[in-house]
Structure formats: C-alpha cells, structure tokens
Amino acid sequence: GLAAIVDEFLQTLASESQMARFAAAMNLDSRRRNRQLTLDYLCAATGGPAFYLGKDMKTSHAGLGISASDWKVAMDHIERALKKLKVPESDGKDLLALVDGLAREIVEN
C-alpha cells in the first residue's frame, strides 16, 4: 500500500509546475533512489519491516529551498494520492500527520 501511495505522490508531484525544479536535476537512477528512500522511510516510520538507511530529513533536504508554499503543494498531492487509492480515512489521517510533522525539519523558508 505504501509503495502505491509513494509512486502516485512522486509522479503527480513531479508534474506540478511549482515542484518540477526538484525533479528536474535528477536522473532516472536518482529518481529511483529517492523513491526507495521515501518508501523505506515511511515504512520504517509506520512500524513496517523496512529499515531506513538514508540521512535524516533536515540533512537530506538542506539547501533545496523548500518553502511553506512548496510544503502545502506536497501535502495536497499526498492527500490526493490517498483519496485516489481509497486509503481508509483513519490510515490516511495517520500518514498525513506523520508526514506533516516533518515540516519543521524540511521547510527552510
């Protein structure tokens, strides 16, 4: 389930004009790695069997200039993915709360 959410989120986010700059500099291998790290992080954070071996959120997003506006767009895309994939409301709320709690580590300006 998380893999489908991550795939839908990353695909639609990359097509968003405001967010395209984040994916523009990534080659296919980087995009695959980003997808896997995102999935591993969410799986580990929700109690799943995966181990997250990436950097902490602050370090991995440092210098990207992610704004509060960018964050809102990303959260909107996560919500859309949850709705499209018919994730149960309680599970969706839990995932949104988890992700939104990362804002203080990711949003720079």
Side-chain angles (χ1 to χ4, degrees), residues 12-83:
T12 62
L13 191 68
S15 67
E16 177 76 44
S17 61
Q18 180 177 340
M19 306 301 279
R21 72 184 191 275
F22 298 114
M26 282 195 240
N27 63 25
L28 184 57
D29 184 59
S30 294
R31 287 181 188 172
R32 286 180 180 149
R33 181 166 168 32
N34 181 55
R35 182 249 186 216
Q36 191 61 53
L37 286 170
T38 302
L39 180 56
D40 290 350
Y41 181 86
L42 291 176
C43 190
T46 57
F51 292 101
Y52 175 69
L53 300 175
K55 298 175 183 160
D56 64 86
M57 292 297 107
K58 188 167 188 72
T59 301
S60 64
H61 293 87
L64 293 176
I66 298 172
S67 68
S69 176
D70 296 331
W71 187 257
K72 181 176 178 346
V73 168
M75 291 301 294
D76 289 345
H77 279 269
I78 294 171
E79 285 185 65
R80 281 188 228 144
L82 295 170
K83 287 178 185 171

